[in-house]
Amino acid sequence: PRAMEDQLTSRTLALARLVYLCVSDASLGRLARHRLTAALLPLASGSAAGADMAVEPPFGALLQTLVSAGVPQSWVGEYARQLRELVAGDPSPDDIWSIVYDLYSLTLPEAEPGAPAAPPAPPRVARSSAFGLFARRARVSFDLAPFEALCSLTSRMKQWLANEATTQPPPAVPQHTEHGAAAAGRAAAGRASGEAGVARAAGREEAAGKREAAGKREAAGKRE
């Protein structure tokens, strides 16, 4: 039997598409691409890719990881939509091949010497890099997989992609609520009330001092 790390899984394919888009999607800004890369590097390396997990984490958990890392939620949603479209038809190894080959193609030379000019290609991925090794492992796994296993994987992937039960993206920045604003207002009012109380006490002390000084002057005048 083949080792678990040599097998394709739904999570592996989802990560393959993510790595491809991370490298090739021109709509990603520099900061978003940096955050996506930082989130993907540990996921695409070794056992974190999900091939040797007894139970695959749900698709929603992967989406939540991306949003928590600071990747724009709109981009994450578009990625999920595109991934579902890729396996929307009848189960076929072609669905998986398109995901695997798109990523693997980033490790190939841009063009052979002397070849005719071609449209601009996506940036290349070094074959020895973390993303390059991940792409090459995915390609080998596809080549070794039986036809029936690839069809079965497509069906399982549809079900896996539908599982977003855990996706509740936390806000990147704590939000101000009406309760918080009211509490802040009460605190400010309390501070103002305290300051006013101090001012009134100081005024009373000053008035008492003036009355005492006036009484002393009056008493001195009578003695004279």
Side-chain angles (χ1 to χ4, degrees):
R2 298 168 57 209
M4 283 297 293
E5 60 268 21
D6 293 332
Q7 298 180 15
L8 289 175
T9 67
S10 301
R11 181 179 171 86
T12 303
L13 294 172
L15 290 174
R17 194 62 184 175
L18 270 176
V19 173
Y20 172 76
L21 292 175
C22 179
V23 175
S24 64
D25 189 355
S27 70
L28 268 176
R30 180 178 299 180
L31 179 59
R33 193 182 308 276
H34 173 77
R35 290 173 172 171
L36 180 57
T37 301
L40 283 177
L41 281 174
L43 295 177
S45 301
S47 61
D52 61 352
M53 295 180 178
V55 178
E56 276 191 309
F59 184 47
L62 175 60
L63 301 183
Q64 186 172 7
T65 297
L66 300 178
V67 175
S68 298
V71 181
Q73 190 167 349
S74 58
W75 189 92
V76 174
E78 178 62 16
Y79 151 72
R81 185 191 66 79
Q82 290 183 15
L83 191 59
R84 291 191 184 96
E85 284 189 352
L86 287 174
V87 294
D90 295 331
S92 167
D94 292 341
D95 302 329
I96 296 175
W97 172 242
S98 65
I99 296 174
V100 172
Y101 186 77
D102 280 350
L103 175 59
Y104 179 73
S105 66
L106 299 183
T107 68
L108 302 177
E110 291 191 27
E112 296 295 332
R124 301 293 95 184
V125 172
R127 293 174 64 84
S128 59
S129 67
F131 286 168
L133 292 172
F134 176 73
R136 291 161 61 191
R137 288 199 306 268
R139 170 65 192 270
V140 171
S141 297
F142 180 90
D143 290 343
L144 294 177
F147 179 86
E148 296 78 7
L150 294 175
C151 291
S152 175
L153 175 56
T154 306
S155 298
R156 294 198 309 272
M157 189 172 181
K158 286 184 180 180
Q159 298 176 356
W160 185 75
L161 291 176
N163 184 1
E164 292 190 44
T166 63
T167 306
Q168 294 294 334
V173 179
Q175 299 296 308
H176 295 291
T177 62
E178 293 182 3
H179 176 75
R186 289 193 296 270
R191 288 193 299 271
S193 176
E195 292 171 358
V198 171
R200 287 194 297 270
R204 288 194 296 269
E205 291 179 1
E206 183 179 359
K210 289 181 178 178
R211 288 195 297 271
E212 183 180 358
K216 289 179 179 179
R217 287 195 299 271
E218 183 178 356
K222 289 180 180 178
R223 286 198 298 270
E224 294 176 355

